[in-house]
Amino acid sequence: MDKNAKPIVVIGAGLCGSLLAARLAKRGQKVLLFERRTDIRLTGEEGGRSINLALSIRGLNSLNLVGADQEALKMAIPMQARMIHFKDGSTRWSPYSGREGDYINSISRGGLNALLLDKAEQNKNLEIRFNTPCLSVDIEANTATFRDNRNGKTFVQEASVIIGTDGAGSAVRRSYLARSSSSLFNYSQHFLEHGYKELHIYPNDDGSHKIKKNCLHIWPRGNYMVIALPNLDGSFTVTCFFPYKGANGFEELTEPSQLFSFFKEEFPDAFQLMPNLISDFYNNPTGSLGTIKCYPWTTNGNSLLMGDAAHAIVPFYGQGMNCSFEDVLVFDQMIDEYGLDWATVFSAYQNERKKDTDAIADLAIDNFYEMRDHVANEHFIRKRNLEMKLEKQFDDYYSKYSLVTFRPDLSYHEAMVKGRAQDEYLMKICKQTKEIENIDLIELNRDIKQKIWR
Ligand SMILES: Cc1cc2nc3c(=O)[nH]c(=O)nc-3n(C[C@H](O)[C@H](O)[C@H](O)COP(=O)(O)OP(=O)(O)OC[C@H]3O[C@@H](n4cnc5c(N)ncnc54)[C@H](O)[C@@H]3O)c2cc1C
């Protein structure tokens, strides 16, 4: 490797950036990875609390690019089902799939990020600079300006190419936007009227989980939803998705007594598990939930946007990170196909990937309504039971959720198109009949194959 060669500059050492940098370095490229924050391996997660994510097969396949998939699984808790909690305290176990081997994994965001930083640093041709936020990118000159937070000095870094993996608030994307209108950069940002806040269920004194461990707990209440994912230390990270405005919205729940009675009334079993509710609720920030779409991700072949910087989505399919990891896999396949001709690779990558990131963005919005309202709806429950029966009986039947989550051989776009068509077909049947036991499953599966998959 030419020591004087300009490095590939990757901006943002989060989940996508650290995987991408590790992979490019493993391929022999000289990589400089910049990160705004302090090294998470030294500081731990913000506030000392675990924040977790659902990792599934698309993400795992991509982690395999740097040999991190099995190590990630060792840090994760398998979740086979949603456990739905009703207002009267009763619960319903709702498996993600009729196949036993299909499950998702709850994993610590910080732990996974640390693992990928370790993988990246194993390469001598890669250097990570923490505490160094990118301020802007000069796309024409192919340089990026950074501030070294340790001494406050700004400096300009030259690059062979620049890849922005700096998340939903991307500084690299801002530089795309700041260019003249002749660059034809399209950008849209759509916020939900709901925000989110993280709470915590702490472990029992012996370190065990207070509620069932191997599932994603969900308290769907129409306009309000609470979920909880297990952590290895026996705790759960709880996330409330509430509207900002209106009765019991984030902006209205200003009085602890009001918060108390709202939780006691709507989420009685969760309320009992969170003696720390008030401090968590009032100390933790409220995050916004939005979809960001933009295009093109490369403008002149010098730079590229990837991960949330290119396509931030709402978290309701548990696919944002998986999709960002899969970006790296698809990008890597483009390098296999086109070599190191970056302009060609960038352009082929965005042509291939855009429809899929749009698809998962739209599916994630659909799932917001499904999780919030439908999981407790009679027709939906019947449809879900029918899908389970089909999945148990036929190797070739996959529900929409399974197509998206457990079939990495299908693109998100294909999973969306086929999955939506199947949903529509089954919903029609479930609205017409209550007796799903009497349905001829062989005939139904054959019809679905002929009408939707032919
Ligand atoms: C509440 C919630 C729950 C979620 N749950 C799931 C889930 O269950 N499953 C799932 O797959 N996805 C989930 N996601 C989505 C997932 O978090 C994101 O899709 C994923 O983190 C994207 O990775 P990224 O590397 O592109 O961005 P990020 O993880 O945001 O990383 C960006 C990195 O860039 C750094 N950075 C930012 N600006 C600069 C700058 N100017 N200069 C240098 N560095 C910078 C940041 O510090 C950060 O390290 C969830 C998201 C939310 C909000």
Side-chain angles (χ1 to χ4, degrees), residues 147-340:
R147 184 180 58 241
D148 185 336
N149 277 346
R150 288 160 304 184
N151 56 24
K153 289 192 175 143
T154 59
F155 64 94
V156 174
Q157 175 67 49
E158 294 189 340
S160 58
V161 287
I162 295 171
I163 307 185
T165 51
D166 49 346
S170 171
V172 181
R173 193 184 61 233
R174 268 202 309 278
S175 297
Y176 275 43
L177 268 172
R179 292 171 83 210
S180 71
S181 57
S182 63
S183 66
L184 302 180
F185 182 64
N186 293 298
Y187 172 77
S188 73
Q189 174 174 304
H190 178 82
F191 285 109
L192 290 184
E193 286 170 2
H194 288 62
Y196 73 95
K197 193 182 276 290
E198 271 147 359
L199 309 174
H200 230 60
I201 295 175
Y202 289 95
N204 288 316
D205 290 342
D206 63 0
S208 58
H209 292 83
K210 282 207 167 106
I211 45 177
K212 201 166 170 55
K213 172 180 158 189
N214 290 102
C215 58
L216 185 151
H217 294 266
I218 166 167
W219 290 260
R221 299 289 185 268
N223 214 16
Y224 305 83
M225 178 169 73
V226 172
I227 64 169
L229 274 75
N231 295 309
L232 279 181
D233 64 2
S235 67
F236 284 84
T237 304
V238 179
T239 312
C240 308
F241 297 98
F242 292 175
Y244 279 99
K245 297 190 186 298
N248 300 312
F250 281 123
E251 289 177 8
E252 301 296 319
L253 285 170
T254 50
E255 290 297 321
S257 59
Q258 202 186 344
L259 177 68
F260 241 73
S261 36
F262 178 56
F263 263 77
K264 214 169 163 182
E265 170 75 21
E266 291 294 328
F267 315 102
D269 49 347
F271 172 76
Q272 284 181 358
L273 299 166
M274 292 190 287
N276 44 300
L277 172 67
I278 292 197
S279 60
D280 274 359
F281 195 90
Y282 291 111
N283 288 330
N284 294 346
T286 307
S288 58
L289 297 165
T291 303
I292 291 173
K293 292 184 179 175
C294 66
Y295 203 75
W297 296 332
T298 180
T299 49
N300 59 359
N302 282 344
S303 61
L304 181 72
L305 296 171
M306 208 185 265
D308 271 17
H311 47 71
I313 65 178
V314 295
F316 303 106
Y317 234 105
Q319 285 293 320
M321 161 187 68
N322 290 290
C323 174
S324 299
F325 284 159
E326 201 182 56
D327 283 358
V328 180
L329 187 69
V330 174
F331 184 69
D332 196 65
Q333 287 161 354
M334 296 300 153
I335 300 177
D336 282 342
E337 203 165 331
Y338 300 104
L340 298 175

Side-chain angles (χ1 to χ4, degrees), residues 10 27 29 68 71 84 91 105 140 143 162 172 243 245 272 298 333 358 382 390 413-414 428 446:
V10 178
R27 275 183 166 273
Q29 297 300 300
E71 282 167 78
I84 299 163
T91 55
N105 303 281
E140 271 64 43
T143 58
I162 295 171
V172 181
K245 297 190 186 298
Q272 284 181 358
T298 180
Q333 287 161 354
D358 281 350
R382 213 176 293 141
L390 286 164
H413 184 259
E414 197 171 359
K428 214 168 168 181
R446 198 174 45 228

Side-chain angles (χ1 to χ4, degrees), residues 12 15-16 35-37 53-54 109 134 166 308 318 320-322:
L15 297 170
C16 182
E35 169 56 43
R36 175 180 66 178
R37 293 178 308 197
L53 301 160
R109 175 193 282 275
C134 170
D166 49 346
D308 271 17
M321 161 187 68
N322 290 290

Side-chain angles (χ1 to χ4, degrees), residues 392-437:
K392 278 199 179 106
Q393 190 161 334
F394 305 105
D395 281 348
D396 64 348
Y397 182 83
Y398 287 80
S399 70
K400 182 177 78 182
Y401 183 85
S402 292
L403 290 170
V404 173
T405 309
F406 304 123
R407 286 285 305 272
D409 56 313
L410 293 180
S411 69
Y412 282 124
H413 184 259
E414 197 171 359
M416 177 185 74
V417 171
K418 304 291 193 211
R420 280 182 174 171
Q422 282 185 176
D423 264 3
E424 211 176 300
Y425 195 74
L426 294 183
M427 261 320 236
K428 214 168 168 181
I429 293 173
C430 291
K431 279 183 180 163
Q432 282 163 1
T433 176
K434 284 191 176 168
E435 314 298 329
I436 57 167
E437 290 70 28

